[in-house]
Amino acid sequence: MGKRASHLKSFGVLAGIIVMGLFEEPPRADAGIMTTYVTGESAGSNVIFKVTLDASIAGSGTVGVAVTEDRGLHLDGIDFAPHGDGHTGVMVGIPDGKVGFYNVVTGATLPDFIADTSAVAGATGSATHPSSVLSTPTHLYYVENQFGFDGSSDHRIMRKAFSGGPEEVVFDGGVAGAGGLVEFEGLEIVDDRLYFFAQDPAPAPAATTRALMSIDLDGAGIWDGSAPTAHITGLARGAIGGPPVPGVSDGSDELDFDPSSGLLFGTNIINGEFIAYDPALGMEVVPGLLGSTSHFIDGGHFLSAGAEIDGIRADGDGHLVFTGRGGIIGAIDIENVMTLGAADLSSVYTLFDSPAFTFDDLTPLIAVPEPTAVPLLLVATGLGLFAVRRRRRCVLEGD
């Protein structure tokens, strides 16, 4: 593969208004010790964990509880986002139909950003399960009606401005069973395209497979009306061959773009497979040497089925960090997988493993600063430092 150069994510600062360029994201080269926040469960409570790790060193993960969800609500997708009162923290999708904001510095549960993501209650008595959340400098994108709890409501991708106002429809897939594009999960913007997983739109067996899809966004960040594109089809879902079941994970789950390789990576919670897609070349990337696979990593060969691989984030230094609901936080050496195969023990390894915890999704990784950088970090935190998730497509360089 040729070397790739990419624009890294930047950070914005909220201090009454969003000021772009005042602070930049902590350096990613030779990332070393990094921090991320992870949704999950501990001792029967729904919590947000603070995790410190070095993605290049097996066993380096340490885990502590940063926030306890004191209302007893389950937590799902998570991303950094600003809050109107200047607090810094994370935005979380809650299956009970809310999108909440949590201050990971103080551990406080703040007023919900979106109190109800569906105007119509679902047949199960709950609202429509917002799961994936994606922050940009100005808006929060989220999935509505992910699993079709509410059979009368469309499956949609929505957004809401951090400055206030109503929710906006980014993309309306339609009602399940009515021929629409439905059951969305995982959100990532690369070069003004919004990528996500959906039920496979191809002919049978579409009902039992998933696909990586994308839509073009217009200058305002809304679907431009052009036909959605299917990039990778036939991905496993449900019980692999069984029918879809509302409320049961459908397989393909989260997405993250890695600036160091220029690849978009995704997980499959059912069978543990990972996909890799090159937005610049418009093709799936599959290792071709030792341990050749159907996808970047085939499921189930390096972790038990109970691991249920869910969240994924790139550290910007050639590694992927992933979470498993069975209490596993692991890492992948991207180059090793490409050259040695995932079966090589140095390619995929565990950073933390405890059956006492359940892990779901994780935020972007932030480099832990050197001691001299701490005062600057404290100033940035007070102003509401948050991750900008709008990415640009990598530019290919010669070999």
PDB file of all heavy atoms in Angstrom, residues 34-42 47-53 59-66 323 327-330 351-354 356-359:
ATOM      1  N   MET A  34      -2.808   7.363  26.635  1.00  0.00           N
ATOM      2  CA  MET A  34      -3.991   8.077  26.164  1.00  0.00           C
ATOM      3  C   MET A  34      -5.171   7.763  27.066  1.00  0.00           C
ATOM      4  O   MET A  34      -5.169   6.782  27.817  1.00  0.00           O
ATOM      5  CB  MET A  34      -4.311   7.713  24.709  1.00  0.00           C
ATOM      6  CG  MET A  34      -3.142   7.876  23.757  1.00  0.00           C
ATOM      7  SD  MET A  34      -3.600   7.749  22.017  1.00  0.00           S
ATOM      8  CE  MET A  34      -4.175   9.417  21.716  1.00  0.00           C
ATOM      9  N   THR A  35      -6.195   8.626  26.991  1.00  0.00           N
ATOM     10  CA  THR A  35      -7.405   8.471  27.789  1.00  0.00           C
ATOM     11  C   THR A  35      -8.610   8.401  26.871  1.00  0.00           C
ATOM     12  O   THR A  35      -8.674   9.095  25.851  1.00  0.00           O
ATOM     13  CB  THR A  35      -7.573   9.643  28.770  1.00  0.00           C
ATOM     14  OG1 THR A  35      -6.515   9.626  29.719  1.00  0.00           O
ATOM     15  CG2 THR A  35      -8.894   9.551  29.516  1.00  0.00           C
ATOM     16  N   THR A  36      -9.572   7.564  27.245  1.00  0.00           N
ATOM     17  CA  THR A  36     -10.852   7.508  26.564  1.00  0.00           C
ATOM     18  C   THR A  36     -11.936   7.271  27.606  1.00  0.00           C
ATOM     19  O   THR A  36     -11.662   6.818  28.721  1.00  0.00           O
ATOM     20  CB  THR A  36     -10.868   6.389  25.504  1.00  0.00           C
ATOM     21  OG1 THR A  36     -12.125   6.404  24.821  1.00  0.00           O
ATOM     22  CG2 THR A  36     -10.687   5.018  26.127  1.00  0.00           C
ATOM     23  N   TYR A  37     -13.176   7.590  27.248  1.00  0.00           N
ATOM     24  CA  TYR A  37     -14.317   7.347  28.124  1.00  0.00           C
ATOM     25  C   TYR A  37     -15.225   6.314  27.478  1.00  0.00           C
ATOM     26  O   TYR A  37     -15.495   6.380  26.265  1.00  0.00           O
ATOM     27  CB  TYR A  37     -15.069   8.650  28.406  1.00  0.00           C
ATOM     28  CG  TYR A  37     -14.248   9.621  29.229  1.00  0.00           C
ATOM     29  CD1 TYR A  37     -13.427  10.557  28.616  1.00  0.00           C
ATOM     30  CD2 TYR A  37     -14.274   9.571  30.618  1.00  0.00           C
ATOM     31  CE1 TYR A  37     -12.658  11.431  29.369  1.00  0.00           C
ATOM     32  CE2 TYR A  37     -13.500  10.444  31.378  1.00  0.00           C
ATOM     33  CZ  TYR A  37     -12.703  11.366  30.741  1.00  0.00           C
ATOM     34  OH  TYR A  37     -11.927  12.225  31.486  1.00  0.00           O
ATOM     35  N   VAL A  38     -15.696   5.364  28.266  1.00  0.00           N
ATOM     36  CA  VAL A  38     -16.388   4.185  27.753  1.00  0.00           C
ATOM     37  C   VAL A  38     -17.720   4.021  28.481  1.00  0.00           C
ATOM     38  O   VAL A  38     -17.775   4.074  29.717  1.00  0.00           O
ATOM     39  CB  VAL A  38     -15.530   2.919  27.963  1.00  0.00           C
ATOM     40  CG1 VAL A  38     -16.257   1.680  27.443  1.00  0.00           C
ATOM     41  CG2 VAL A  38     -14.168   3.071  27.297  1.00  0.00           C
ATOM     42  N   THR A  39     -18.798   3.820  27.730  1.00  0.00           N
ATOM     43  CA  THR A  39     -20.079   3.504  28.352  1.00  0.00           C
ATOM     44  C   THR A  39     -20.106   2.033  28.734  1.00  0.00           C
ATOM     45  O   THR A  39     -19.466   1.191  28.101  1.00  0.00           O
ATOM     46  CB  THR A  39     -21.250   3.801  27.405  1.00  0.00           C
ATOM     47  OG1 THR A  39     -21.021   3.140  26.154  1.00  0.00           O
ATOM     48  CG2 THR A  39     -21.393   5.284  27.175  1.00  0.00           C
ATOM     49  N   GLY A  40     -20.859   1.708  29.794  1.00  0.00           N
ATOM     50  CA  GLY A  40     -20.935   0.312  30.211  1.00  0.00           C
ATOM     51  C   GLY A  40     -21.638   0.135  31.534  1.00  0.00           C
ATOM     52  O   GLY A  40     -22.438   0.988  31.962  1.00  0.00           O
ATOM     53  N   GLU A  41     -21.326  -0.968  32.197  1.00  0.00           N
ATOM     54  CA  GLU A  41     -21.966  -1.310  33.469  1.00  0.00           C
ATOM     55  C   GLU A  41     -20.926  -1.806  34.461  1.00  0.00           C
ATOM     56  O   GLU A  41     -19.955  -2.478  34.085  1.00  0.00           O
ATOM     57  CB  GLU A  41     -23.026  -2.388  33.253  1.00  0.00           C
ATOM     58  CG  GLU A  41     -24.146  -1.978  32.307  1.00  0.00           C
ATOM     59  CD  GLU A  41     -25.093  -3.119  32.011  1.00  0.00           C
ATOM     60  OE1 GLU A  41     -25.189  -4.047  32.846  1.00  0.00           O
ATOM     61  OE2 GLU A  41     -25.733  -3.103  30.947  1.00  0.00           O
ATOM     62  N   SER A  42     -21.149  -1.463  35.711  1.00  0.00           N
ATOM     63  CA  SER A  42     -20.286  -1.908  36.800  1.00  0.00           C
ATOM     64  C   SER A  42     -21.125  -2.099  38.050  1.00  0.00           C
ATOM     65  O   SER A  42     -21.867  -1.180  38.445  1.00  0.00           O
ATOM     66  CB  SER A  42     -19.186  -0.872  37.073  1.00  0.00           C
ATOM     67  OG  SER A  42     -18.443  -1.209  38.225  1.00  0.00           O
ATOM     68  N   VAL A  47     -22.698   3.096  33.888  1.00  0.00           N
ATOM     69  CA  VAL A  47     -21.639   4.044  34.202  1.00  0.00           C
ATOM     70  C   VAL A  47     -20.915   4.486  32.933  1.00  0.00           C
ATOM     71  O   VAL A  47     -21.064   3.895  31.867  1.00  0.00           O
ATOM     72  CB  VAL A  47     -20.609   3.444  35.184  1.00  0.00           C
ATOM     73  CG1 VAL A  47     -21.291   2.966  36.457  1.00  0.00           C
ATOM     74  CG2 VAL A  47     -19.830   2.306  34.528  1.00  0.00           C
ATOM     75  N   ILE A  48     -20.114   5.544  33.088  1.00  0.00           N
ATOM     76  CA  ILE A  48     -19.124   5.930  32.094  1.00  0.00           C
ATOM     77  C   ILE A  48     -17.763   5.722  32.733  1.00  0.00           C
ATOM     78  O   ILE A  48     -17.456   6.301  33.779  1.00  0.00           O
ATOM     79  CB  ILE A  48     -19.298   7.395  31.660  1.00  0.00           C
ATOM     80  CG1 ILE A  48     -20.663   7.589  30.996  1.00  0.00           C
ATOM     81  CG2 ILE A  48     -18.182   7.799  30.694  1.00  0.00           C
ATOM     82  CD1 ILE A  48     -20.991   9.035  30.689  1.00  0.00           C
ATOM     83  N   PHE A  49     -16.973   4.844  32.142  1.00  0.00           N
ATOM     84  CA  PHE A  49     -15.634   4.550  32.655  1.00  0.00           C
ATOM     85  C   PHE A  49     -14.624   5.554  32.098  1.00  0.00           C
ATOM     86  O   PHE A  49     -14.759   6.019  30.968  1.00  0.00           O
ATOM     87  CB  PHE A  49     -15.179   3.151  32.226  1.00  0.00           C
ATOM     88  CG  PHE A  49     -16.016   2.023  32.744  1.00  0.00           C
ATOM     89  CD1 PHE A  49     -16.998   1.446  31.941  1.00  0.00           C
ATOM     90  CD2 PHE A  49     -15.811   1.509  34.011  1.00  0.00           C
ATOM     91  CE1 PHE A  49     -17.759   0.385  32.405  1.00  0.00           C
ATOM     92  CE2 PHE A  49     -16.569   0.443  34.489  1.00  0.00           C
ATOM     93  CZ  PHE A  49     -17.546  -0.107  33.676  1.00  0.00           C
ATOM     94  N   LYS A  50     -13.609   5.858  32.886  1.00  0.00           N
ATOM     95  CA  LYS A  50     -12.431   6.545  32.377  1.00  0.00           C
ATOM     96  C   LYS A  50     -11.339   5.507  32.220  1.00  0.00           C
ATOM     97  O   LYS A  50     -10.977   4.820  33.177  1.00  0.00           O
ATOM     98  CB  LYS A  50     -11.963   7.649  33.334  1.00  0.00           C
ATOM     99  CG  LYS A  50     -10.722   8.392  32.826  1.00  0.00           C
ATOM    100  CD  LYS A  50     -10.300   9.501  33.786  1.00  0.00           C
ATOM    101  CE  LYS A  50      -9.072  10.236  33.256  1.00  0.00           C
ATOM    102  NZ  LYS A  50      -8.642  11.331  34.168  1.00  0.00           N
ATOM    103  N   VAL A  51     -10.806   5.377  31.003  1.00  0.00           N
ATOM    104  CA  VAL A  51      -9.817   4.349  30.702  1.00  0.00           C
ATOM    105  C   VAL A  51      -8.526   5.026  30.249  1.00  0.00           C
ATOM    106  O   VAL A  51      -8.544   5.889  29.363  1.00  0.00           O
ATOM    107  CB  VAL A  51     -10.327   3.397  29.598  1.00  0.00           C
ATOM    108  CG1 VAL A  51      -9.282   2.325  29.300  1.00  0.00           C
ATOM    109  CG2 VAL A  51     -11.650   2.756  30.024  1.00  0.00           C
ATOM    110  N   THR A  52      -7.422   4.625  30.853  1.00  0.00           N
ATOM    111  CA  THR A  52      -6.101   5.088  30.450  1.00  0.00           C
ATOM    112  C   THR A  52      -5.344   3.906  29.864  1.00  0.00           C
ATOM    113  O   THR A  52      -5.381   2.810  30.441  1.00  0.00           O
ATOM    114  CB  THR A  52      -5.331   5.680  31.641  1.00  0.00           C
ATOM    115  OG1 THR A  52      -6.089   6.775  32.179  1.00  0.00           O
ATOM    116  CG2 THR A  52      -3.966   6.192  31.218  1.00  0.00           C
ATOM    117  N   LEU A  53      -4.670   4.116  28.735  1.00  0.00           N
ATOM    118  CA  LEU A  53      -4.021   2.992  28.061  1.00  0.00           C
ATOM    119  C   LEU A  53      -2.912   3.484  27.142  1.00  0.00           C
ATOM    120  O   LEU A  53      -2.836   4.665  26.809  1.00  0.00           O
ATOM    121  CB  LEU A  53      -5.062   2.206  27.245  1.00  0.00           C
ATOM    122  CG  LEU A  53      -5.876   3.011  26.219  1.00  0.00           C
ATOM    123  CD1 LEU A  53      -5.184   3.106  24.865  1.00  0.00           C
ATOM    124  CD2 LEU A  53      -7.261   2.409  26.053  1.00  0.00           C
ATOM    125  N   GLY A  59      -1.923  -5.202  27.952  1.00  0.00           N
ATOM    126  CA  GLY A  59      -2.105  -5.149  29.395  1.00  0.00           C
ATOM    127  C   GLY A  59      -1.954  -3.782  30.022  1.00  0.00           C
ATOM    128  O   GLY A  59      -1.945  -3.667  31.248  1.00  0.00           O
ATOM    129  N   SER A  60      -1.864  -2.724  29.216  1.00  0.00           N
ATOM    130  CA  SER A  60      -1.590  -1.393  29.755  1.00  0.00           C
ATOM    131  C   SER A  60      -2.822  -0.641  30.219  1.00  0.00           C
ATOM    132  O   SER A  60      -2.710   0.453  30.772  1.00  0.00           O
ATOM    133  CB  SER A  60      -0.863  -0.547  28.698  1.00  0.00           C
ATOM    134  OG  SER A  60      -1.707  -0.334  27.565  1.00  0.00           O
ATOM    135  N   GLY A  61      -4.020  -1.199  30.029  1.00  0.00           N
ATOM    136  CA  GLY A  61      -5.231  -0.469  30.355  1.00  0.00           C
ATOM    137  C   GLY A  61      -5.538  -0.423  31.838  1.00  0.00           C
ATOM    138  O   GLY A  61      -5.389  -1.420  32.553  1.00  0.00           O
ATOM    139  N   THR A  62      -5.953   0.735  32.335  1.00  0.00           N
ATOM    140  CA  THR A  62      -6.469   0.897  33.693  1.00  0.00           C
ATOM    141  C   THR A  62      -7.851   1.523  33.595  1.00  0.00           C
ATOM    142  O   THR A  62      -8.081   2.406  32.765  1.00  0.00           O
ATOM    143  CB  THR A  62      -5.549   1.762  34.554  1.00  0.00           C
ATOM    144  OG1 THR A  62      -5.437   3.067  33.964  1.00  0.00           O
ATOM    145  CG2 THR A  62      -4.174   1.141  34.679  1.00  0.00           C
ATOM    146  N   VAL A  63      -8.772   1.093  34.451  1.00  0.00           N
ATOM    147  CA  VAL A  63     -10.176   1.469  34.325  1.00  0.00           C
ATOM    148  C   VAL A  63     -10.702   1.980  35.664  1.00  0.00           C
ATOM    149  O   VAL A  63     -10.473   1.363  36.710  1.00  0.00           O
ATOM    150  CB  VAL A  63     -11.028   0.275  33.857  1.00  0.00           C
ATOM    151  CG1 VAL A  63     -12.513   0.633  33.851  1.00  0.00           C
ATOM    152  CG2 VAL A  63     -10.593  -0.172  32.466  1.00  0.00           C
ATOM    153  N   GLY A  64     -11.408   3.096  35.635  1.00  0.00           N
ATOM    154  CA  GLY A  64     -12.107   3.625  36.799  1.00  0.00           C
ATOM    155  C   GLY A  64     -13.429   4.225  36.370  1.00  0.00           C
ATOM    156  O   GLY A  64     -13.629   4.554  35.193  1.00  0.00           O
ATOM    157  N   VAL A  65     -14.355   4.378  37.303  1.00  0.00           N
ATOM    158  CA  VAL A  65     -15.668   4.932  37.000  1.00  0.00           C
ATOM    159  C   VAL A  65     -15.613   6.456  37.090  1.00  0.00           C
ATOM    160  O   VAL A  65     -15.224   7.010  38.118  1.00  0.00           O
ATOM    161  CB  VAL A  65     -16.742   4.380  37.953  1.00  0.00           C
ATOM    162  CG1 VAL A  65     -18.077   5.077  37.727  1.00  0.00           C
ATOM    163  CG2 VAL A  65     -16.907   2.881  37.740  1.00  0.00           C
ATOM    164  N   ALA A  66     -16.004   7.144  36.001  1.00  0.00           N
ATOM    165  CA  ALA A  66     -16.023   8.606  35.985  1.00  0.00           C
ATOM    166  C   ALA A  66     -17.401   9.158  36.318  1.00  0.00           C
ATOM    167  O   ALA A  66     -17.525  10.167  37.007  1.00  0.00           O
ATOM    168  CB  ALA A  66     -15.581   9.123  34.611  1.00  0.00           C
ATOM    169  N   THR A 323     -13.721  -2.101  22.116  1.00  0.00           N
ATOM    170  CA  THR A 323     -14.346  -2.544  23.363  1.00  0.00           C
ATOM    171  C   THR A 323     -15.218  -3.761  23.099  1.00  0.00           C
ATOM    172  O   THR A 323     -15.859  -3.870  22.050  1.00  0.00           O
ATOM    173  CB  THR A 323     -15.216  -1.432  23.968  1.00  0.00           C
ATOM    174  OG1 THR A 323     -16.086  -0.907  22.957  1.00  0.00           O
ATOM    175  CG2 THR A 323     -14.353  -0.305  24.517  1.00  0.00           C
ATOM    176  N   GLY A 327     -16.331  -7.402  28.859  1.00  0.00           N
ATOM    177  CA  GLY A 327     -15.337  -6.862  29.775  1.00  0.00           C
ATOM    178  C   GLY A 327     -13.948  -6.747  29.189  1.00  0.00           C
ATOM    179  O   GLY A 327     -12.960  -6.670  29.923  1.00  0.00           O
ATOM    180  N   ILE A 328     -13.861  -6.704  27.851  1.00  0.00           N
ATOM    181  CA  ILE A 328     -12.568  -6.672  27.175  1.00  0.00           C
ATOM    182  C   ILE A 328     -12.357  -5.327  26.500  1.00  0.00           C
ATOM    183  O   ILE A 328     -13.251  -4.798  25.834  1.00  0.00           O
ATOM    184  CB  ILE A 328     -12.468  -7.789  26.122  1.00  0.00           C
ATOM    185  CG1 ILE A 328     -12.413  -9.160  26.805  1.00  0.00           C
ATOM    186  CG2 ILE A 328     -11.270  -7.602  25.203  1.00  0.00           C
ATOM    187  CD1 ILE A 328     -12.427 -10.314  25.844  1.00  0.00           C
ATOM    188  N   ILE A 329     -11.172  -4.755  26.687  1.00  0.00           N
ATOM    189  CA  ILE A 329     -10.680  -3.643  25.888  1.00  0.00           C
ATOM    190  C   ILE A 329      -9.418  -4.146  25.202  1.00  0.00           C
ATOM    191  O   ILE A 329      -8.503  -4.632  25.864  1.00  0.00           O
ATOM    192  CB  ILE A 329     -10.383  -2.403  26.738  1.00  0.00           C
ATOM    193  CG1 ILE A 329     -11.655  -1.933  27.453  1.00  0.00           C
ATOM    194  CG2 ILE A 329      -9.817  -1.277  25.866  1.00  0.00           C
ATOM    195  CD1 ILE A 329     -11.431  -0.801  28.433  1.00  0.00           C
ATOM    196  N   GLY A 330      -9.388  -4.066  23.871  1.00  0.00           N
ATOM    197  CA  GLY A 330      -8.271  -4.615  23.128  1.00  0.00           C
ATOM    198  C   GLY A 330      -7.715  -3.611  22.140  1.00  0.00           C
ATOM    199  O   GLY A 330      -8.220  -2.491  21.999  1.00  0.00           O
ATOM    200  N   LEU A 351      -5.801  -5.141  26.138  1.00  0.00           N
ATOM    201  CA  LEU A 351      -5.297  -4.073  26.997  1.00  0.00           C
ATOM    202  C   LEU A 351      -5.845  -4.183  28.413  1.00  0.00           C
ATOM    203  O   LEU A 351      -5.190  -3.811  29.378  1.00  0.00           O
ATOM    204  CB  LEU A 351      -5.676  -2.712  26.412  1.00  0.00           C
ATOM    205  CG  LEU A 351      -5.166  -2.413  25.002  1.00  0.00           C
ATOM    206  CD1 LEU A 351      -5.727  -1.081  24.509  1.00  0.00           C
ATOM    207  CD2 LEU A 351      -3.642  -2.393  24.966  1.00  0.00           C
ATOM    208  N   PHE A 352      -7.087  -4.691  28.521  1.00  0.00           N
ATOM    209  CA  PHE A 352      -7.733  -4.844  29.828  1.00  0.00           C
ATOM    210  C   PHE A 352      -8.797  -5.909  29.695  1.00  0.00           C
ATOM    211  O   PHE A 352      -9.487  -5.979  28.674  1.00  0.00           O
ATOM    212  CB  PHE A 352      -8.361  -3.518  30.270  1.00  0.00           C
ATOM    213  CG  PHE A 352      -9.053  -3.577  31.607  1.00  0.00           C
ATOM    214  CD1 PHE A 352      -8.348  -3.347  32.786  1.00  0.00           C
ATOM    215  CD2 PHE A 352     -10.403  -3.869  31.690  1.00  0.00           C
ATOM    216  CE1 PHE A 352      -8.980  -3.400  34.023  1.00  0.00           C
ATOM    217  CE2 PHE A 352     -11.050  -3.931  32.925  1.00  0.00           C
ATOM    218  CZ  PHE A 352     -10.329  -3.692  34.081  1.00  0.00           C
ATOM    219  N   ASP A 353      -8.970  -6.735  30.723  1.00  0.00           N
ATOM    220  CA  ASP A 353      -9.952  -7.822  30.668  1.00  0.00           C
ATOM    221  C   ASP A 353     -10.478  -8.080  32.068  1.00  0.00           C
ATOM    222  O   ASP A 353      -9.723  -8.463  32.970  1.00  0.00           O
ATOM    223  CB  ASP A 353      -9.302  -9.089  30.098  1.00  0.00           C
ATOM    224  CG  ASP A 353     -10.309 -10.219  29.900  1.00  0.00           C
ATOM    225  OD1 ASP A 353     -11.488 -10.031  30.229  1.00  0.00           O
ATOM    226  OD2 ASP A 353      -9.894 -11.286  29.409  1.00  0.00           O
ATOM    227  N   SER A 354     -11.767  -7.839  32.271  1.00  0.00           N
ATOM    228  CA  SER A 354     -12.388  -8.132  33.563  1.00  0.00           C
ATOM    229  C   SER A 354     -13.855  -8.463  33.354  1.00  0.00           C
ATOM    230  O   SER A 354     -14.617  -7.626  32.850  1.00  0.00           O
ATOM    231  CB  SER A 354     -12.270  -6.950  34.520  1.00  0.00           C
ATOM    232  OG  SER A 354     -13.031  -7.198  35.701  1.00  0.00           O
ATOM    233  N   ALA A 356     -16.004  -8.430  35.470  1.00  0.00           N
ATOM    234  CA  ALA A 356     -16.800  -7.616  36.391  1.00  0.00           C
ATOM    235  C   ALA A 356     -17.446  -6.425  35.698  1.00  0.00           C
ATOM    236  O   ALA A 356     -18.365  -5.809  36.241  1.00  0.00           O
ATOM    237  CB  ALA A 356     -15.924  -7.128  37.552  1.00  0.00           C
ATOM    238  N   PHE A 357     -16.944  -6.094  34.498  1.00  0.00           N
ATOM    239  CA  PHE A 357     -17.431  -4.923  33.786  1.00  0.00           C
ATOM    240  C   PHE A 357     -18.068  -5.316  32.462  1.00  0.00           C
ATOM    241  O   PHE A 357     -17.766  -6.373  31.892  1.00  0.00           O
ATOM    242  CB  PHE A 357     -16.288  -3.945  33.493  1.00  0.00           C
ATOM    243  CG  PHE A 357     -15.587  -3.426  34.714  1.00  0.00           C
ATOM    244  CD1 PHE A 357     -14.209  -3.292  34.727  1.00  0.00           C
ATOM    245  CD2 PHE A 357     -16.294  -3.085  35.862  1.00  0.00           C
ATOM    246  CE1 PHE A 357     -13.552  -2.805  35.841  1.00  0.00           C
ATOM    247  CE2 PHE A 357     -15.658  -2.609  36.993  1.00  0.00           C
ATOM    248  CZ  PHE A 357     -14.276  -2.469  36.979  1.00  0.00           C
ATOM    249  N   THR A 358     -18.944  -4.446  31.965  1.00  0.00           N
ATOM    250  CA  THR A 358     -19.488  -4.543  30.619  1.00  0.00           C
ATOM    251  C   THR A 358     -19.124  -3.262  29.888  1.00  0.00           C
ATOM    252  O   THR A 358     -19.399  -2.166  30.390  1.00  0.00           O
ATOM    253  CB  THR A 358     -21.018  -4.703  30.637  1.00  0.00           C
ATOM    254  OG1 THR A 358     -21.352  -5.915  31.307  1.00  0.00           O
ATOM    255  CG2 THR A 358     -21.581  -4.737  29.224  1.00  0.00           C
ATOM    256  N   PHE A 359     -18.505  -3.374  28.726  1.00  0.00           N
ATOM    257  CA  PHE A 359     -18.094  -2.200  27.954  1.00  0.00           C
ATOM    258  C   PHE A 359     -18.921  -2.102  26.674  1.00  0.00           C
ATOM    259  O   PHE A 359     -19.208  -3.105  26.038  1.00  0.00           O
ATOM    260  CB  PHE A 359     -16.613  -2.273  27.586  1.00  0.00           C
ATOM    261  CG  PHE A 359     -15.692  -2.311  28.778  1.00  0.00           C
ATOM    262  CD1 PHE A 359     -14.726  -3.301  28.889  1.00  0.00           C
ATOM    263  CD2 PHE A 359     -15.793  -1.367  29.784  1.00  0.00           C
ATOM    264  CE1 PHE A 359     -13.863  -3.347  29.973  1.00  0.00           C
ATOM    265  CE2 PHE A 359     -14.939  -1.401  30.880  1.00  0.00           C
ATOM    266  CZ  PHE A 359     -13.971  -2.388  30.981  1.00  0.00           C
TER     267      PHE A 359
END
